[in-house]
């Protein structure tokens, strides 16, 4: 048993014949930004899904904050202090921004059901407290003017930020960001880089980030891990990994997508 | 226009702004006066609207807020009606038999909620449909308990020794229960429980990642929805005064679903609007029946077909229901003459290109 903040030991994920992830091990130190890069289908999102317990690893163990989380129930992960965002944005689209952030507070609500049905004073106090926390996040991410809007009516770039905010509302110790810059334009991507820095420095949250934009990766990462076809290619500083011959080969060797050196404005 | 809010507490208050308090107060006051101003026939009709509203709020929590469709909700209405009537006829006082009817219905809700946990959409619709038919069948066959096809007379309830008579007594009773049910529903919606339901409706996968136990909250939603519908059922029993199993079949279930869809999914106002519409439509049809051309009024399946037609039209052209239409009108008049055409168009939303596999 290691006393690392987070560690994955020989984890594997097989879907029938597909070996999406195969004997991957890595540690993440408290307070660092650890990035995972790799071409499409490398298994990056699958690793996140194992950590948030949507998938149960075929083999290996996951440890977080001194606890084995390999087989814990998925809804318990948030309470332990792990929050995430999704590659394709999974917000509650028919609720307002504020409601979305308040749902992010769910792991901190302890009121028994009956006291909620009766809206006892203790529930009211807790609600005011949740609201204060949500407002702090709104201010932190500069979302004031969208507070009462339905997510369905917000532009894509804003939604990306809201999803980050919802994750922050749970006051996580570990934050998993799945392609935070995808779909953002250059300017928005720069904004995202600042926020990631702030989250790390001001809120001292540890971050694991999956990202294709190499400029963003280089700007915020302490360490980078490159993955291809479910296996680790290289691990080290951003420059080391980007220059690693195997990584270069994986990206240009007929793989669908090369690492983007510039941010690409997408839809 | 709405006033500016100055504290978080204000957002937690039930009615919201002061003008709302005044409006809802006036509405409640006029509802209290209905029996003084109208004939027994209309008081009866209004009781029916109130009872449907209670059931509508119950189903709205499940379908409108949790996103789980039930085509068997009439069964919970029936379970509530029979439980209340049977308890009453065995000497249980009404102040106990009514809440017990709700609890027994809620237990039935748990019984259907747990086995259907992993179902959604069409599969859930079919499972609940089957459940509804089974309950009717049990009601027909279990003669000893329900009286089967012979039906079951519903004793007149009494509270503190005072008989609650049809129609005025039942009217006030239904009004009180509706106020209670709305209070509970509004509390649900402003607490973590209600937000968990909305989260499950909109994205199960991220609800789970926010720490929401899907199995638990879906079951709770079924239980509360069934329980509230059971309360409506108990009152329904007193309204009709004689129960027969087949009155709680698929047709009633479809009426209940129509309430939430026509009213507008995800809105308590919608549940009430929908209930008014669905409860009064048969009366409206009866009024114009003889004046319709080509003998349309005499066609046998007119009423159910009309329900179906309206349901389809609403889903196609006004998916936000009566409530959504009302909000648009309100916005139009508030902004008049500055309205923009675009606010009347349906908002384009970004389709998710690819869900998590
Ligand atoms: N539930 C699943 N069932 C079957 N195969 C899956 C499942 N989830 C992922 N895979 C497969 O596992 C492999 C890795 O997928 P994953 O989503 O982790 O890639 P990724 O590195 O996140 O790629 P991208 O950059 O495109 O997001 C792919 O071949 C994918 O098709
Ligand atoms: Mg991915």
């Amino acid at each position: 048993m290691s006393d690392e903040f987070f560690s994955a030991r020989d984890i594997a994920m097989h879907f029938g014949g597909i070996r999406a992830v195969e004997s991957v091990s890595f540690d993440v130190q408290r307070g660092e930004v650890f990035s995972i890069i790799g071409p499409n289908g490398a298994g990056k999102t699958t690793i996140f899904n194992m950590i948030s317990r949507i998938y149960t690893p075929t083999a290996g163990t996951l440890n977080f904050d001194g606890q084995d989380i390999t087989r814990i129930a998925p809804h318990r992960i948030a309470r332990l202090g792990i929050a995430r965002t999704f590659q394709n944005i999974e917000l509650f689209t028919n609720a307002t921004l504020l409601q979305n952030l308040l749902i992010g507070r769910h792991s901190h609500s302890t009121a028994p059901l009956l006291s909620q049905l009766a809206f006892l004073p203790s529930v009211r106090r807790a609600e005011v407290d949740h609201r204060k926390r949500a407002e702090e996040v709104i201010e932190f991410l500069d979302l004031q003017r969208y507070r009462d809007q339905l997510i369905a009516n917000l532009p894509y770039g804003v939604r990306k930020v809201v999803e980050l905010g919802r994750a922050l509302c749970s006051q996580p110790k570990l934050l998993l960001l799945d392609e935070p810059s995808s779909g953002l334009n250059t300017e928005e991507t720069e904004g995202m880089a600042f926020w990631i820095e702030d989250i790390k420095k001001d809120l001292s949250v540890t971050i694991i980030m999956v990202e294709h934009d190499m400029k963003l990766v280089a700007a915020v990462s302490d360490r980078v891990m490159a993955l291809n076809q479910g296996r680790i290619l290289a691990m080290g500083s951003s420059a080391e990994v980007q220059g690693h011959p195997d990584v270069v080969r994986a990206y240009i060797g007929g793989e669908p997508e090369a690492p983007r050196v510039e941010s690409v404005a997408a839809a | 226009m709405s006033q500016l809010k100055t504290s978080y507490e204000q957002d937690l208050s039930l009615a919201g702004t002061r003008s709302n308090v005044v409006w809802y107060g006036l509405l409640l006051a006029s509802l209290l006066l209905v029996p003084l101003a109208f004939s027994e026939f209309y008081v009866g009709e209004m009781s029916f609207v109130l009872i449907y509203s209670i059931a509508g709020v119950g189903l709205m929590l499940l379908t409108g807020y949790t996103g789980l469709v039930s085509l068997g909700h009439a069964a919970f209405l029936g379970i509530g009606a029979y439980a209340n009537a049977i308890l009453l006829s065995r000497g249980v006082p009404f102040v106990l038999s009514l809440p017990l009817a709700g609890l027994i219905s809620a237990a039935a809700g748990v019984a259907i909620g747990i086995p259907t946990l992993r179902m959604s959409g069409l599969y859930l619709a079919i499972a609940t449909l089957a459940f509804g038919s089974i309950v009717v069948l049990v009601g027909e066959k279990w003669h000893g308990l329900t009286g089967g096809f012979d039906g079951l007379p519903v004793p007149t309830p009494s509270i503190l020794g005072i008989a609650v008579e049809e129609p005025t007594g039942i009217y006030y009773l239904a009004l009180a229960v509706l106020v209670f049910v709305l209070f509970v529903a509004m509390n649900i919606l402003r607490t973590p429980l209600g937000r968990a339901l909305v989260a499950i409706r909109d994205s199960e996968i991220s609800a789970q990642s926010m720490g929401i136990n899907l199995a638990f909250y879906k079951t709770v939603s079924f239980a509360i929805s069934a329980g509230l519908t059971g309360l409506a059922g108990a009152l329904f029993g007193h309204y009709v005064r004689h129960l027969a199993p087949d009155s709680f079949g698929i047709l009633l279930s479809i009426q209940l679903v129509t309430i939430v869809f026509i009213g507008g999914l995800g809105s308590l106002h919608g549940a009430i609007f929908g209930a008014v519409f669905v409860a009064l439509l048969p009366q409206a049809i009866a009024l114009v029946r003889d004046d319709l051309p080509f003998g349309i009024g005499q066609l046998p399946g007119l009423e159910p077909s009309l329900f179906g037609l309206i349901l389809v039209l609403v889903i196609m052209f006004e998916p936000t229901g009566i409530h959504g239409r009302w909000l648009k009108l309100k916005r139009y008049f508030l902004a008049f003459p500055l309205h923009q055409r675009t606010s009347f168009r349906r908002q384009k939303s970004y389709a998710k290109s690819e869900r998590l596999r």
Side-chain angles (χ1 to χ4, degrees):
Chain A
M1 185 113 314
S2 66
D3 45 32
E4 305 288 344
F5 180 62
F6 175 88
S7 71
R9 284 281 151 273
D10 291 319
I11 52 169
M13 188 74 229
H14 301 168
F15 300 104
I18 303 173
R19 298 174 168 239
V21 173
E22 187 69 3
S23 60
V24 165
S25 300
F26 60 94
D27 298 322
V28 179
Q29 317 296 327
R30 195 183 291 272
E32 78 172 330
V33 175
F34 183 87
S35 293
I36 305 178
I37 64 167
N40 289 122
K44 308 178 295 290
T45 300
T46 303
I47 290 181
F48 273 14
N49 286 343
M50 284 191 275
I51 301 175
S52 44
R53 293 292 297 106
I54 293 165
Y55 298 156
T56 298
T58 313
T61 54
L62 296 163
N63 274 282
F64 172 67
D65 218 8
Q67 193 175 350
D68 185 341
I69 60 164
T70 322
R71 278 166 204 286
I72 221 163
H75 66 268
R76 298 205 182 280
I77 289 294
R79 189 154 299 176
L80 293 179
I82 301 179
R84 73 175 287 184
T85 66
F86 294 84
Q87 187 169 351
N88 297 311
I89 306 191
E90 287 283 342
L91 284 168
F92 309 115
T93 39
N94 295 306
T96 66
L97 185 156
L98 180 62
Q99 284 168 329
N100 269 266
L101 297 191
L102 288 173
I103 294 169
R105 300 282 311 156
H106 188 88
S107 56
H108 292 272
S109 33
T110 49
L113 277 187
L114 282 180
S115 62
Q116 295 187 48
L117 296 184
F119 207 68
L120 295 184
S122 60
V123 175
R124 177 182 295 270
R125 277 194 300 278
E127 279 305 301
V128 171
D129 186 55
H130 290 322
R131 178 70 189 269
K132 279 188 188 137
R133 296 283 184 177
E135 291 293 337
E136 281 166 21
V137 169
I138 287 179
E139 199 168 326
F140 181 75
L141 296 176
D142 229 357
L143 289 168
Q144 290 90 340
R145 63 199 164 114
Y146 305 113
R147 182 188 288 112
D148 293 317
Q149 296 214 25
L150 286 188
I151 298 300
N153 299 339
L154 293 179
Y156 188 87
V158 178
R159 292 188 198 197
K160 249 358 233 195
V161 181
V162 177
E163 215 191 19
L164 182 62
R166 184 181 65 181
L168 289 179
C169 271
S170 70
Q171 299 173 284
K173 296 180 205 154
L174 175 64
L175 182 56
L176 313 176
L177 302 176
D178 200 347
E179 305 204 9
S181 85
S182 76
L184 300 186
N185 62 33
T186 319
E187 208 176 314
E188 289 168 329
T189 304
E190 279 169 8
M192 191 57 82
F194 281 119
W195 274 317
I196 292 172
E197 287 282 312
D198 285 352
I199 291 167
K200 172 185 164 183
K201 293 219 175 71
D202 300 349
L203 310 178
S204 49
V205 175
T206 308
I207 296 173
I208 306 181
M209 174 175 83
V210 166
E211 184 51 59
H212 277 301
D213 185 327
M214 296 313 279
K215 214 170 127 195
L216 177 59
V217 170
V220 302
S221 313
D222 294 299
R223 285 188 306 143
V224 177
M225 171 171 88
L227 221 56
N228 189 30
Q229 298 183 349
R231 291 175 178 276
I232 298 179
L233 284 184
M235 188 147 16
S237 75
S238 155
E240 283 165 10
V241 170
Q242 261 180 276
H244 195 286
D246 286 348
V247 176
V248 174
R249 208 172 308 125
Y251 272 105
I252 49 180
E255 291 296 332
E257 201 167 348
R260 299 174 212 150
V261 179
E262 289 287 313
S263 310
V264 179
Chain B
M1 284 299 299
S2 60
Q3 301 140 5
L4 287 179
K5 292 169 188 154
T6 49
S7 84
Y8 301 150
E9 293 273 351
Q10 241 163 307
D11 272 353
L12 290 174
S13 84
L14 281 183
T17 59
R18 191 168 306 160
S19 74
N20 273 353
V21 176
V22 173
W23 282 115
Y24 289 124
L26 282 177
L27 179 63
L28 185 63
S30 37
L31 285 174
L32 284 170
L33 293 177
V34 161
L36 303 180
F38 292 94
S39 72
E40 292 208 337
F41 173 77
Y42 286 106
V43 175
E45 286 299 304
M46 283 296 288
S47 309
F48 193 55
V49 170
L50 295 176
I51 291 167
Y52 264 32
S53 299
I54 297 166
V57 170
L59 185 55
M60 187 61 86
L61 285 174
L62 185 72
T63 301
Y65 286 100
T66 322
L68 301 172
V69 176
S70 166
L71 284 184
H73 244 54
F76 299 120
L77 209 79
I79 290 171
Y82 272 93
N84 177 58
I86 292 168
L87 287 170
L88 272 180
S89 62
R90 312 219 160 155
V92 178
F94 180 66
V95 286
L96 286 181
S97 71
L98 177 66
L100 279 176
L103 287 178
I104 291 169
S105 263
V110 173
I112 178 72
I114 289 177
T116 57
L117 274 177
R118 297 195 162 274
M119 297 182 192
S120 61
L122 199 56
Y123 295 95
L124 182 62
I126 291 172
T128 49
L129 186 71
F131 166 76
S133 320
I134 292 169
V135 168
V136 170
L137 203 66
V138 170
E140 286 167 357
K141 301 286 179 215
W142 196 349
H143 199 278
L145 188 71
T146 65
F149 284 114
D150 300 338
L152 186 74
V154 184
T156 303
S158 69
I159 297 175
L160 301 171
I162 304 163
V164 185
E165 298 282 0
E166 240 269 297
T168 306
I170 298 300
Y171 173 83
Y172 282 121
L173 193 62
L175 186 57
V177 173
L178 177 59
V179 168
F180 166 78
V181 163
L182 280 173
F183 174 72
V184 170
M186 276 156 44
N187 283 347
I188 289 173
L189 295 181
R190 60 180 172 162
T191 50
L193 167 58
R195 292 195 294 266
L197 304 186
V198 168
I200 290 172
R201 177 191 70 190
D202 284 3
S203 167
E204 289 199 0
I205 187 154
S206 59
Q208 210 170 29
S209 300
M210 299 293 115
I212 292 165
N213 182 344
L214 300 183
F216 175 76
Y217 281 100
K218 282 185 180 181
T219 310
V220 165
S221 180
F222 252 108
I224 295 178
S225 174
L228 299 184
T229 308
L231 289 180
L235 298 171
F236 182 81
H238 292 302
Y239 173 77
V240 296
R241 281 184 282 181
H242 194 90
L243 300 176
D246 55 351
S247 46
F248 299 101
I250 172 73
L251 274 178
L252 185 55
S253 284
I254 287 184
Q255 285 199 354
L256 295 178
V257 167
T258 311
I259 290 179
V260 297
F261 274 92
I262 286 195
L265 288 180
S267 142
L268 292 180
H269 286 104
I272 308 289
F273 288 148
V276 172
F277 185 85
V278 170
L280 297 184
L281 185 65
Q283 291 303 331
I285 295 174
L287 276 181
V288 298
R289 199 164 209 136
D290 297 332
D291 302 333
L292 290 177
F294 314 121
I296 293 176
Q298 313 314 324
L299 292 178
L302 181 64
E303 201 180 297
S305 336
L306 214 57
F307 269 112
L309 182 66
I310 291 172
L311 191 55
V312 169
L313 288 178
V314 167
I315 290 172
M316 280 170 63
F317 296 110
E318 189 57 275
T320 53
I322 302 176
H323 179 62
R325 175 59 38 190
W326 158 250
L327 285 185
K328 283 179 200 164
L329 283 177
K330 204 162 88 172
R331 228 178 296 142
Y332 176 87
F333 284 113
L334 282 177
F336 193 81
L338 299 172
H339 79 280
Q340 294 176 311
R341 299 201 115 257
T342 46
S343 62
F344 286 83
R345 257 183 235 136
R346 226 171 290 157
Q347 292 275 4
K348 177 180 116 202
S349 54
Y350 291 83
K352 282 176 200 166
S353 48
E354 163 199 15
R355 308 276 302 191
L356 191 115
R357 280 166 289 207

